[in-house]
Amino acid sequence: MTMSSTTSAKLVLEGLTKTFQGQRALSEVSLELRAGEIHCLLGQNGSGKSTLIKILAGYHSPDHGSALIDGRPMDLGSPAEAHSHGLRFIHQDLALIDSLSVVDNLALGESYGGRYWLSDRRERRIAQDIFAEYGVDIQVGRPLGALGSASQAMTAIVRALHHGDAARGILVLDEPTASLSEPDKEHLFELLRAVKARGGTMLYVTHRLHEVFELADRVTVLRDGRNVATREVGELNPDSLIELILGRPMDAVYPEPPHPGSDRVLEMTDLGGGALTSFSGTVRAGEIVGVVGLAGSGADEIPQLIFGATPRRAGEIRLNGKPIAPGSPWEAIRSGIALVPADRKRLGVIADWTLRENVTLPKVRGRGPLRWLSRRREAGDVASYMTQCEVKPNDPEATISSLSGGNQQKIMIARWLRAGAKVLLLQEPTAGVDVGSRSAIYRHLNQAASEGASVLITTTDLEEACAVCDRVYVVRGGRLGAELDASQLTPDTLLGEVLRPSHDSTALDGQPRKSPA
């Protein structure tokens, strides 16, 4: 690609190279965005996508490389320069402040509506009108941290859309649907298509490949810091796209699930807490069970309630027939229950600790009568689980913050396999995880289930729920709305159940809802 041949393009990046501590993150990467297109940027974790976006945003300066926007040079490595050229970003880390209200977060990096003085009432009214313009229902006066992850994501999205120039700017979105339900995702896609219709240009990063075929015009694939392909979406299918990303054919992303046993290991009766009013369900030995629901339905709180991380208001939880005390994560761990939370950075790992320390965190094994700790023995113990879970690099002394999201997720699974967990609770197990790591995570969950573990996952990815789970519970309005077994599971059927009014307790065929097994 040459600059002279692409002067009509909206954005042209040429020869971007970036090295960190002797390791090359980007190597001579070139990228062209056409005006009025949605262009997907794809690649495995560690392929260079985040580095490219941070260079565009001015967070990093490239070792060398150049950029043109509308044929005019843009200095890379300057946030002010990126902002003045109409670039707006929705990062994986949403750049929001939990302690501030939605109103204040909407104004972050931009400005309030008032010109000469601030009025809280007026700013709330202006913010409410802005969200209404984009069809988003949100309580703008509340602290952002008191809202769910979907509302937080939509706050960042509306901020970028409102303060950007839809017709002349460039919107960069990095995994924007990771915490969105299917209806919220469709709403976002409608907004992005409207921006495109007004002439807007978007660079869209995702690991959910079905989104590429729903939304994008073209794709660019990075592998090991290099640009390996740019294609029209119409020229591709899922298999050929996966092959471009991995550099090899991939027979199946979703492995064949194991056959569950008949013993009920985990039983929940009239469980209530947070937004959840009443939920009853079971998970058998060797079974993978899914829970899905709209944001605010309470579905995503079920693993936290079982583990004791969220106060239980009502109901009973039994493990192998024995009650589990409410509100006690320590008791849950001692009983063999493990939690892999959706928010890896805040709740899942300790960023500046080593892989060894993160893996051994819930179960430290001392040696001898005084329970002395041996770093060498601990590292050897951890390395075997890291190998089993295909963690790269397999270096127990590396800090976990240096790993990609997919490898951090594998570390959390390795942690609980080492602890001997018999019940695995996972929230959004593959959010922000590339297709290769995603397949590996599914294999590890299947292996754990085949060895008798019980697995419960909450997910907003309906395709994942259908492909991975033996059964799926649908939660609506804080209550159990439906239970579907493998023979009933399709994304369309599941979406229909998720969207069904919460007071409707009849199945799709008009028969009463199936009661929990």
Side-chain angles (χ1 to χ4, degrees):
M1 173 189 306
T2 64
M3 292 292 187
S4 60
S5 65
T6 56
T7 54
S8 61
K10 183 68 180 178
L11 168 69
V12 176
L13 300 175
E14 187 167 273
L16 288 191
T17 297
K18 182 66 179 177
T19 303
F20 296 102
Q21 298 176 339
Q23 183 172 351
R24 184 156 287 189
L26 290 176
S27 181
E28 298 293 334
V29 169
S30 297
L31 174 70
E32 173 194 306
L33 299 187
R34 298 169 183 165
E37 78 166 340
I38 300 176
H39 193 118
C40 276
L41 182 65
L42 307 178
Q44 297 191 74
N45 292 117
S47 63
K49 303 185 306 296
S50 293
T51 301
L52 187 150
I53 289 172
K54 288 177 179 178
I55 288 175
L56 269 180
Y59 184 80
H60 292 315
S61 296
D63 299 337
H64 63 81
S66 58
L68 293 177
I69 291 185
D70 293 324
R72 296 181 292 110
M74 182 183 82
D75 291 334
L76 296 169
S78 166
E81 182 82 355
H83 194 275
S84 68
H85 277 79
L87 283 158
R88 296 295 183 270
F89 297 85
I90 300 168
H91 298 283
Q92 285 189 52
D93 181 346
L94 297 172
L96 302 171
I97 300 177
D98 286 353
S99 59
L100 296 181
S101 69
V102 174
V103 173
D104 294 329
N105 274 282
L106 188 64
L108 275 179
E110 301 290 346
S111 63
Y112 289 95
R115 180 170 297 182
Y116 301 110
W117 69 88
L118 293 180
S119 161
D120 287 344
R121 179 181 297 178
R122 181 178 58 196
E123 293 302 326
R124 284 197 299 269
R125 186 180 67 251
I126 292 172
Q128 200 75 63
D129 290 344
I130 291 171
F131 279 98
E133 178 185 348
Y134 291 97
V136 176
D137 183 15
I138 197 169
Q139 295 174 285
V140 298
R142 296 188 66 190
L144 190 81
L147 303 177
S149 56
S151 294
Q152 294 177 13
M154 291 307 290
T155 298
I157 290 164
V158 168
R159 181 178 64 186
L161 291 172
H162 177 70
H163 291 298
D165 187 330
R168 294 181 295 177
I170 299 174
L171 182 62
V172 181
L173 306 99
D174 192 358
E175 293 285 343
T177 63
S179 59
L180 299 184
S181 67
E182 194 69 16
D184 286 335
K185 185 205 78 172
E186 290 301 328
H187 184 191
L188 171 61
F189 282 9
E190 289 176 8
L191 292 176
L192 297 185
R193 292 184 184 110
V195 170
K196 175 184 171 182
R198 293 162 61 185
T201 305
M202 282 154 279
L203 182 63
Y204 188 98
V205 180
T206 183
H207 289 303
R208 297 179 173 184
L209 300 189
H210 60 89
E211 294 183 358
V212 176
F213 296 96
E214 289 182 58
L215 192 65
D217 301 295
R218 291 192 302 154
V219 301
T220 290
V221 177
L222 299 184
R223 192 188 318 136
D224 299 324
R226 296 180 179 275
N227 183 332
V228 296
T230 295
R231 298 279 191 275
E232 300 283 344
V233 170
E235 300 173 359
L236 299 167
N237 58 46
D239 289 342
S240 62
L241 187 53
I242 288 172
E243 187 169 347
L244 282 175
I245 293 170
L246 297 181
R248 55 181 169 80
M250 188 170 186
D251 295 333
V253 175
Y254 302 107
E256 188 68 25
H259 296 290
S262 58
D263 296 335
R264 297 182 180 184
V265 174
L266 181 66
E267 298 176 86
M268 299 151 280
T269 306
D270 295 326
L271 187 61
L276 194 70
T277 304
S278 178
F279 176 83
S280 298
T282 63
V283 187
R284 301 182 178 91
E287 187 176 34
I288 300 177
V289 172
V291 180
V292 301
L294 297 175
S297 67
D300 59 342
E301 297 184 64
I302 291 173
Q304 300 274 354
L305 287 165
I306 297 171
F307 192 69
T310 294
R312 192 196 312 172
R313 186 174 58 245
E316 184 180 50
I317 300 170
R318 303 179 73 87
L319 182 64
N320 293 318
K322 297 180 180 179
I324 296 294
S328 175
W330 175 238
E331 178 65 23
I333 293 172
R334 290 182 59 186
S335 301
I337 300 176
L339 174 66
V340 178
D343 191 340
R344 280 192 297 269
K345 291 182 179 179
R346 191 168 65 90
L347 302 175
V349 301
I350 300 179
D352 55 357
W353 280 20
T354 65
L355 308 188
R356 168 179 55 82
E357 292 167 322
N358 272 279
V359 170
T360 58
L361 182 61
K363 193 171 185 179
V364 179
R365 294 171 181 164
R367 182 185 180 197
L370 297 180
R371 312 304 293 167
W372 293 107
L373 298 180
S374 166
R375 182 174 296 182
R376 181 178 58 82
R377 288 173 62 89
E378 191 176 58
D381 177 25
V382 165
S384 63
Y385 289 96
M386 290 170 56
T387 299
Q388 178 183 343
C389 291
E390 306 172 53
V391 177
K392 297 176 183 178
N394 192 335
D395 176 7
E397 299 310 311
T399 57
I400 197 164
S401 60
S402 67
L403 269 60
S404 67
N407 281 295
Q408 289 184 17
Q409 193 79 337
K410 294 176 191 176
I411 282 291
M412 289 198 290
I413 293 173
R415 167 194 294 168
W416 295 116
L417 294 180
R418 177 185 174 276
K422 292 302 180 184
V423 175
L424 289 171
L425 311 171
L426 302 101
Q427 297 175 295
E428 302 295 343
T430 59
V433 174
D434 66 78
V435 66
S437 295
R438 178 179 290 225
S439 182
I441 288 169
Y442 295 146
R443 288 199 305 273
H444 303 325
L445 295 182
N446 275 6
Q447 181 64 30
S450 67
E451 293 172 359
S454 303
V455 181
L456 179 75
I457 68 173
T458 60
T459 179
T460 54
D461 189 334
L462 301 187
E463 181 181 335
E464 175 177 80
C466 294
V468 173
C469 299
D470 302 289
R471 290 183 294 125
V472 173
Y473 291 113
V474 178
V475 178
R476 296 192 295 260
R479 295 180 175 274
L480 174 62
E483 176 191 351
L484 288 79
D485 61 29
S487 65
Q488 300 169 295
L489 286 175
T490 67
D492 288 345
T493 300
L494 198 52
L495 179 59
E497 288 291 352
V498 167
L499 296 177
R500 187 182 294 277
S502 57
H503 57 78
D504 188 345
S505 61
T506 58
L508 294 176
D509 58 5
Q511 299 300 314
R513 306 283 339 126
K514 182 179 177 182
S515 61

